Amino acid sequence: MTEPRTLRIDIWSDVMCPWCLVGWGSLQKGLEQLEGEIEADIRWHAFELNPDMAPEGEERTAHIARKYGTTTEQSKAVQGRMREAADKAGVSLDYEGGEPEPTGMVWNTFAAHKLLTWAGEEHGPVRQTALKLALFRAHFNQRRALGDEAVLLDIAEEEGFERDAAAAALASEEWGRKVRAEQQAAWDFNITGVPAMIVENKFMIPGAQPAEAYADALRRVAEKTAA
C-alpha cells in the first residue's frame, strides 16, 4: 500500500477572524476526503486584522459596521451568513455559555500571536494547533477577553503549557520580532486577507474555501510536486 503524501500547509490567520475558523473546518473536511492519500503538516502564522485596536477592544457588530461601512442591520446579517458557513464547515461561532449572552468583542491580538509563534517554535506544530483551536474556542464560544494577557496565560495553562514559560514569551521582545517577521512574510507572499494557506511554500489557497475545493487544490499540488 502506498503511504499517504504529507504536504506542508502554512496558514496565515487571526484568532479574531471567523472565516479563518470556517476555513480550518473546511480544510479538515477536505483532508477527510483525501484520507489515505494526503496528510497535512500544518503551521500557523501571524496576521493582525486590527493592529491598531485599542486595549479595551470594540463591540463586534459595531466594529464590522465601522470597518466595512455598513449599517448595524447589515453587520448582523453578515454575522448570520458567517454562522451558516461555520455550520457547513463543522465548526461553531456560537456562544456556549448560559444566559444572558455576553457582548461579542474584537480585541488586539499581537500578544496572542506571540504566544502562538512561541508555541510553534518551542513545542511543535501539533501543540501550536491545539493552542490555536483553544484560542478560537475562547473567543467565539466562550467570549473570553483575548486582549488580556492573564486570560491568554490561563488558556495556555489549560492546554498544558507551563505558565511561567508562556509569560516569559509574552514579555519577550524577541518573540515580538518574530511575529513582525511573520507579518512581513505575509506581505512578501502578497497576502492581504485571511485565511491564506501556502502549500509546500509556493502554492496559495486564498480565503475560506469549500471542503471540495481544498481537496482538489491539495491533490493538484501533490501531483505537481511529485518526485
Side-chain angles (χ1 to χ4, degrees), residues 103-116:
T103 300
M105 297 289 292
V106 176
W107 307 97
N108 180 282
T109 53
F110 187 74
H113 285 304
K114 287 177 72 174
L115 205 58
L116 284 162

PDB file of all heavy atoms in Angstrom, residues 103-116:
ATOM      1  N   THR A 103     -21.640  40.355  25.524  1.00  0.00           N
ATOM      2  CA  THR A 103     -21.381  41.090  24.288  1.00  0.00           C
ATOM      3  C   THR A 103     -20.181  40.508  23.565  1.00  0.00           C
ATOM      4  O   THR A 103     -19.136  40.245  24.162  1.00  0.00           O
ATOM      5  CB  THR A 103     -21.107  42.571  24.616  1.00  0.00           C
ATOM      6  OG1 THR A 103     -22.243  43.122  25.268  1.00  0.00           O
ATOM      7  CG2 THR A 103     -20.820  43.364  23.350  1.00  0.00           C
ATOM      8  N   GLY A 104     -20.319  40.285  22.262  1.00  0.00           N
ATOM      9  CA  GLY A 104     -19.193  39.829  21.455  1.00  0.00           C
ATOM     10  C   GLY A 104     -18.235  40.981  21.218  1.00  0.00           C
ATOM     11  O   GLY A 104     -18.660  42.082  20.852  1.00  0.00           O
ATOM     12  N   MET A 105     -16.959  40.730  21.420  1.00  0.00           N
ATOM     13  CA  MET A 105     -15.957  41.783  21.308  1.00  0.00           C
ATOM     14  C   MET A 105     -14.883  41.397  20.308  1.00  0.00           C
ATOM     15  O   MET A 105     -14.682  40.226  19.979  1.00  0.00           O
ATOM     16  CB  MET A 105     -15.312  42.033  22.683  1.00  0.00           C
ATOM     17  CG  MET A 105     -16.264  42.529  23.751  1.00  0.00           C
ATOM     18  SD  MET A 105     -16.794  44.246  23.471  1.00  0.00           S
ATOM     19  CE  MET A 105     -15.242  45.128  23.748  1.00  0.00           C
ATOM     20  N   VAL A 106     -14.162  42.412  19.830  1.00  0.00           N
ATOM     21  CA  VAL A 106     -12.975  42.232  18.997  1.00  0.00           C
ATOM     22  C   VAL A 106     -11.807  42.835  19.760  1.00  0.00           C
ATOM     23  O   VAL A 106     -11.915  43.928  20.318  1.00  0.00           O
ATOM     24  CB  VAL A 106     -13.150  42.920  17.631  1.00  0.00           C
ATOM     25  CG1 VAL A 106     -11.874  42.812  16.813  1.00  0.00           C
ATOM     26  CG2 VAL A 106     -14.315  42.314  16.872  1.00  0.00           C
ATOM     27  N   TRP A 107     -10.658  42.109  19.786  1.00  0.00           N
ATOM     28  CA  TRP A 107      -9.517  42.525  20.593  1.00  0.00           C
ATOM     29  C   TRP A 107      -8.258  42.655  19.733  1.00  0.00           C
ATOM     30  O   TRP A 107      -8.166  42.080  18.653  1.00  0.00           O
ATOM     31  CB  TRP A 107      -9.244  41.493  21.695  1.00  0.00           C
ATOM     32  CG  TRP A 107     -10.420  41.156  22.534  1.00  0.00           C
ATOM     33  CD1 TRP A 107     -11.259  40.080  22.395  1.00  0.00           C
ATOM     34  CD2 TRP A 107     -10.930  41.902  23.637  1.00  0.00           C
ATOM     35  NE1 TRP A 107     -12.240  40.108  23.333  1.00  0.00           N
ATOM     36  CE2 TRP A 107     -12.074  41.215  24.130  1.00  0.00           C
ATOM     37  CE3 TRP A 107     -10.527  43.073  24.276  1.00  0.00           C
ATOM     38  CZ2 TRP A 107     -12.815  41.673  25.205  1.00  0.00           C
ATOM     39  CZ3 TRP A 107     -11.271  43.528  25.363  1.00  0.00           C
ATOM     40  CH2 TRP A 107     -12.389  42.832  25.818  1.00  0.00           C
ATOM     41  N   ASN A 108      -7.288  43.371  20.277  1.00  0.00           N
ATOM     42  CA  ASN A 108      -5.957  43.360  19.688  1.00  0.00           C
ATOM     43  C   ASN A 108      -5.343  41.977  19.929  1.00  0.00           C
ATOM     44  O   ASN A 108      -5.467  41.432  21.022  1.00  0.00           O
ATOM     45  CB  ASN A 108      -5.079  44.441  20.330  1.00  0.00           C
ATOM     46  CG  ASN A 108      -3.682  44.466  19.744  1.00  0.00           C
ATOM     47  OD1 ASN A 108      -2.840  43.654  20.075  1.00  0.00           O
ATOM     48  ND2 ASN A 108      -3.439  45.420  18.857  1.00  0.00           N
ATOM     49  N   THR A 109      -4.675  41.410  18.917  1.00  0.00           N
ATOM     50  CA  THR A 109      -4.214  40.025  19.018  1.00  0.00           C
ATOM     51  C   THR A 109      -2.695  39.864  18.934  1.00  0.00           C
ATOM     52  O   THR A 109      -2.205  38.745  18.769  1.00  0.00           O
ATOM     53  CB  THR A 109      -4.863  39.169  17.906  1.00  0.00           C
ATOM     54  OG1 THR A 109      -4.627  39.783  16.636  1.00  0.00           O
ATOM     55  CG2 THR A 109      -6.345  39.013  18.141  1.00  0.00           C
ATOM     56  N   PHE A 110      -1.946  40.948  19.073  1.00  0.00           N
ATOM     57  CA  PHE A 110      -0.487  40.821  18.957  1.00  0.00           C
ATOM     58  C   PHE A 110       0.069  39.859  20.007  1.00  0.00           C
ATOM     59  O   PHE A 110       0.917  39.003  19.701  1.00  0.00           O
ATOM     60  CB  PHE A 110       0.189  42.183  19.080  1.00  0.00           C
ATOM     61  CG  PHE A 110       1.666  42.148  18.815  1.00  0.00           C
ATOM     62  CD1 PHE A 110       2.140  42.001  17.522  1.00  0.00           C
ATOM     63  CD2 PHE A 110       2.576  42.255  19.848  1.00  0.00           C
ATOM     64  CE1 PHE A 110       3.503  41.952  17.262  1.00  0.00           C
ATOM     65  CE2 PHE A 110       3.941  42.207  19.606  1.00  0.00           C
ATOM     66  CZ  PHE A 110       4.413  42.055  18.305  1.00  0.00           C
ATOM     67  N   ALA A 111      -0.412  39.972  21.239  1.00  0.00           N
ATOM     68  CA  ALA A 111       0.083  39.084  22.298  1.00  0.00           C
ATOM     69  C   ALA A 111      -0.302  37.638  22.011  1.00  0.00           C
ATOM     70  O   ALA A 111       0.495  36.721  22.234  1.00  0.00           O
ATOM     71  CB  ALA A 111      -0.469  39.528  23.656  1.00  0.00           C
ATOM     72  N   ALA A 112      -1.510  37.422  21.510  1.00  0.00           N
ATOM     73  CA  ALA A 112      -1.930  36.064  21.160  1.00  0.00           C
ATOM     74  C   ALA A 112      -1.018  35.484  20.085  1.00  0.00           C
ATOM     75  O   ALA A 112      -0.649  34.294  20.135  1.00  0.00           O
ATOM     76  CB  ALA A 112      -3.384  36.065  20.694  1.00  0.00           C
ATOM     77  N   HIS A 113      -0.624  36.302  19.120  1.00  0.00           N
ATOM     78  CA  HIS A 113       0.280  35.834  18.069  1.00  0.00           C
ATOM     79  C   HIS A 113       1.664  35.517  18.634  1.00  0.00           C
ATOM     80  O   HIS A 113       2.315  34.551  18.190  1.00  0.00           O
ATOM     81  CB  HIS A 113       0.384  36.872  16.959  1.00  0.00           C
ATOM     82  CG  HIS A 113      -0.811  36.926  16.068  1.00  0.00           C
ATOM     83  ND1 HIS A 113      -1.282  35.824  15.400  1.00  0.00           N
ATOM     84  CD2 HIS A 113      -1.643  37.952  15.729  1.00  0.00           C
ATOM     85  CE1 HIS A 113      -2.341  36.157  14.683  1.00  0.00           C
ATOM     86  NE2 HIS A 113      -2.579  37.440  14.870  1.00  0.00           N
ATOM     87  N   LYS A 114       2.128  36.295  19.595  1.00  0.00           N
ATOM     88  CA  LYS A 114       3.408  35.986  20.229  1.00  0.00           C
ATOM     89  C   LYS A 114       3.353  34.612  20.876  1.00  0.00           C
ATOM     90  O   LYS A 114       4.283  33.793  20.743  1.00  0.00           O
ATOM     91  CB  LYS A 114       3.760  37.043  21.288  1.00  0.00           C
ATOM     92  CG  LYS A 114       4.184  38.370  20.725  1.00  0.00           C
ATOM     93  CD  LYS A 114       4.444  39.400  21.824  1.00  0.00           C
ATOM     94  CE  LYS A 114       5.707  39.125  22.589  1.00  0.00           C
ATOM     95  NZ  LYS A 114       6.012  40.222  23.551  1.00  0.00           N
ATOM     96  N   LEU A 115       2.255  34.331  21.562  1.00  0.00           N
ATOM     97  CA  LEU A 115       2.100  33.047  22.245  1.00  0.00           C
ATOM     98  C   LEU A 115       2.052  31.896  21.239  1.00  0.00           C
ATOM     99  O   LEU A 115       2.672  30.849  21.442  1.00  0.00           O
ATOM    100  CB  LEU A 115       0.823  33.093  23.085  1.00  0.00           C
ATOM    101  CG  LEU A 115       0.730  32.169  24.294  1.00  0.00           C
ATOM    102  CD1 LEU A 115       1.877  32.430  25.266  1.00  0.00           C
ATOM    103  CD2 LEU A 115      -0.609  32.383  24.995  1.00  0.00           C
ATOM    104  N   LEU A 116       1.345  32.098  20.141  1.00  0.00           N
ATOM    105  CA  LEU A 116       1.238  31.054  19.120  1.00  0.00           C
ATOM    106  C   LEU A 116       2.574  30.812  18.417  1.00  0.00           C
ATOM    107  O   LEU A 116       2.933  29.661  18.124  1.00  0.00           O
ATOM    108  CB  LEU A 116       0.170  31.432  18.087  1.00  0.00           C
ATOM    109  CG  LEU A 116      -1.273  31.254  18.556  1.00  0.00           C
ATOM    110  CD1 LEU A 116      -2.223  32.041  17.659  1.00  0.00           C
ATOM    111  CD2 LEU A 116      -1.648  29.776  18.567  1.00  0.00           C
TER     112      LEU A 116
END
